[in-house]
Amino acid sequence: MQQGSAPKISFVSLGCPKALVDSERIITRLRAEGYELARQHDGADVVIVNTCGFLDSAKQESLSAIGSAMAENGKVIVTGCMGAEPEQIEQAYPGVLSITGPQQYESVLDAVHRASPPVHNPHLDLVPPQGIKLTPRHYAYLKISEGCNNRCTFCIIPKLRGDLVSRPAADVLREAERLVAAGVKELLVISQDTSAYGLDLKYAESTWKDRTVRARFLDLARELGDLGAWVRLHYVYPYPHVDEVIGLMAEGKVLPYLDIPFQHASPNVLKAMRRPAAQDKTLDRIKAWRTTCPDLALRSTFIVGFPGETDEDFAYLLDWLDEAEIDRLGCFKYEPVAGATSNALPGQVPDDVKQERWDALMARQQKISARRLKRKVGTRQQIIIDEVGPTVAKGRSKADAPDIDGAVYLSSRRPLRVGEIVTAKIERADEYDLHATVAGF
């Protein structure tokens, strides 16, 4: 590094949106101290790898990223979920400079300072008020809490990230307001268990502008809905008070979209998973939600091949999906995770059976998705633009979250801009995506 020049940091962020928020916070702090971001490991003063440790496959991806950074640079700092159990990293790459767990921002900064001290320039303000974002400018993830109080048998997140720690409502709202002021059009609310928000704080009030706001899921959603951006709710467990938020969706305060990780439908499997929230009346509640808010889009994730899952359990899940008509669905084949109590459960399902069930579920969901999307043909929908091309733009409706859901492909008489929200007429639908023409701006 030349004398007086800013040190350069190369950054790799793996895993879920919650880890991405951690990465943004680290980068914001480093940029405030004068560090620059490098596009490549080679030539950077230090490399930071934010790891994922949820599944064995994710751990292998993390180890591979660390290995690449070591080979290309050699000065590597590791953080994130896999860093909470550092033995595997230390064994594979004993030369890494530092290993820390998730949310340990100060430890990461200390490691960077030791490897490459900052060069201060008091005359430069390097960081915009909203901080450094790794997502496109028009949407941002808004993390409202850390950790989780649930003890699902297949999950080690509480072991990695600890119990629920909610942010005061005023802190969340201040961050959201800064993001919207900086041009963010869509706020994606995330946490490990969004509907448990505030439980640890006993729903304490905090001062926001001229009033107090409780740290409660409904109250926070209502306040976020007044900021003028789309508000999308992720990782919502179906506790009874979630019903109250559907009213906000019907009013147009927050997007008519719920990401609920159901994971299964069979009572036997749910019991073995130790899933929170009573799910025996879920179908009735979904019907009630759609009565209150007909435009509601439901996204969920499911696991097939969980230990003890029988053919009858899987058939129950398929029948449940037909009735629930989940709009957007992700499915995973059960994978043992080191430290998860489900590893010791009887009735491990063979890999070929897992694959057969995965194929069957995705084929069933494809038909459900096509049926749901076909109903939108001829309607007018608001679309947020993510990408623009010479003839066709790619965007998302209120029913689509970035990266995980479908898309809307748009033709327009005038050039469109990324981040713009337009009105479009839906012309046709396929299994997962919509095709439309712009009808208004």
Side-chain angles (χ1 to χ4, degrees), residues 44-367:
D45 294 288
V46 67
V47 180
I48 302 173
V49 181
N50 190 0
T51 59
C52 179
F54 184 49
L55 297 173
D56 288 345
S57 54
K59 290 180 180 179
Q60 289 305 315
E61 183 184 13
S62 295
L63 288 171
S64 176
I66 295 166
S68 297
M70 289 293 289
E72 296 173 39
N73 185 287
K75 296 174 72 175
V76 180
I77 293 166
V78 179
T79 187
C81 283
M82 195 173 176
E85 297 176 315
E87 296 79 12
Q88 198 171 356
I89 299 170
E90 291 169 343
Q91 186 175 358
Y93 303 106
V96 297
L97 300 177
S98 169
I99 304 174
T100 59
Q103 297 126 43
Q104 295 182 8
Y105 313 121
E106 299 301 331
S107 297
V108 175
L109 293 168
D110 288 345
V112 173
H113 295 161
R114 289 193 300 271
S116 184
V119 176
H120 293 290
N121 185 338
H123 304 293
L124 292 178
D125 180 12
L126 297 173
V127 178
Q130 76 276 14
I132 305 298
K133 290 172 64 269
L134 300 180
T135 46
R137 184 173 178 269
H138 61 286
Y139 67 82
Y141 292 100
L142 184 67
K143 190 193 285 191
I144 64 174
S145 66
E146 301 283 3
C148 184
N149 288 343
N150 302 318
R151 294 296 183 265
C152 303
T153 55
F154 57 84
C155 181
I156 58 170
I157 291 296
K159 187 176 179 182
L160 297 176
R161 290 181 170 259
D163 286 337
L164 177 72
V165 179
S166 302
R167 299 173 62 193
D171 286 1
V172 177
L173 291 167
R174 276 191 287 270
E175 180 182 351
E177 187 179 51
R178 286 196 300 269
L179 289 167
V180 173
V184 168
K185 302 286 185 66
E186 179 180 12
L187 298 167
L188 299 111
V189 178
I190 58 168
S191 66
Q192 222 48 61
D193 181 352
T194 296
S195 37
Y197 170 70
L199 179 65
D200 57 306
L201 299 176
K202 296 183 172 59
Y203 310 115
E205 295 181 340
S206 55
T207 302
W208 163 243
K209 295 190 172 178
D210 59 347
R211 58 195 180 279
T212 57
V213 181
R214 288 186 301 171
R216 188 167 172 262
F217 180 47
L218 176 67
D219 300 58
L220 183 66
R222 183 185 292 114
E223 294 289 344
L224 289 171
D226 286 337
L227 294 178
W230 284 12
V231 177
R232 192 179 299 278
L233 303 173
H234 286 278
Y235 314 118
V236 178
Y237 285 77
Y239 304 127
H241 67 266
V242 172
D243 298 356
E244 301 170 334
V245 178
I246 306 301
L248 296 181
M249 296 178 181
E251 295 170 25
K253 287 268 190 182
V254 300
L255 293 186
Y257 180 100
L258 268 184
D259 178 355
I260 299 182
F262 289 117
Q263 306 299 14
H264 215 281
S266 165
N268 295 330
V269 178
L270 290 171
K271 184 177 179 181
M273 289 178 168
R274 290 187 60 187
R275 295 293 288 160
Q279 300 198 15
D280 54 337
K281 297 180 179 177
T282 301
L283 287 174
D284 290 338
R285 292 178 68 201
I286 289 174
K287 289 175 184 175
W289 294 344
R290 285 183 168 145
T291 299
T292 301
C293 183
D295 293 334
L296 176 66
L298 288 175
R299 147 161 272 281
S300 191
T301 50
F302 293 85
I303 296 173
V304 295
F306 191 80
E309 182 191 55
T310 64
D311 290 341
E312 290 76 18
D313 291 325
F314 182 65
Y316 186 104
L317 172 58
L318 292 183
D319 291 343
W320 188 93
L321 284 176
D322 276 336
E323 194 165 348
E325 288 200 308
I326 301 295
D327 297 85
R328 301 298 194 186
L329 183 148
C331 182
F332 300 92
K333 290 169 282 189
Y334 173 76
E335 184 179 318
V337 178
T341 56
S342 59
N343 297 345
L345 290 175
Q348 297 289 325
V349 178
D351 288 343
D352 58 337
V353 175
K354 290 179 189 176
Q355 185 65 50
E356 288 171 8
R357 290 177 181 172
W358 188 90
D359 291 340
L361 188 144
M362 294 309 294
R364 183 72 60 96
Q365 177 58 26
Q366 188 178 70
K367 293 177 181 177

Side-chain angles (χ1 to χ4, degrees), residues 18-26 50 105 143 146 161:
K18 293 175 282 293
L20 185 71
V21 172
D22 293 345
S23 297
E24 290 174 344
R25 288 178 180 172
I26 293 168
N50 190 0
Y105 313 121
K143 190 193 285 191
E146 301 283 3
R161 290 181 170 259

Side-chain angles (χ1 to χ4, degrees), residues 342-416:
S342 59
N343 297 345
L345 290 175
Q348 297 289 325
V349 178
D351 288 343
D352 58 337
V353 175
K354 290 179 189 176
Q355 185 65 50
E356 288 171 8
R357 290 177 181 172
W358 188 90
D359 291 340
L361 188 144
M362 294 309 294
R364 183 72 60 96
Q365 177 58 26
Q366 188 178 70
K367 293 177 181 177
I368 294 170
S369 175
R371 189 164 70 236
R372 297 284 296 171
L373 291 177
K374 191 175 181 181
R375 297 173 190 170
K376 298 185 179 183
V377 174
T379 66
R380 290 174 182 255
Q381 305 279 337
Q382 280 193 298
I383 310 297
I384 189 166
I385 307 301
D386 287 336
E387 300 174 21
V388 294
T391 56
V392 176
K394 182 181 178 183
R396 292 175 291 107
S397 74
K398 292 180 177 180
D400 304 305
D403 299 327
I404 56 174
D405 292 333
V408 182
Y409 294 92
L410 289 158
S411 59
S412 173
R413 290 192 301 275
R414 75 149 172 83
L416 300 174

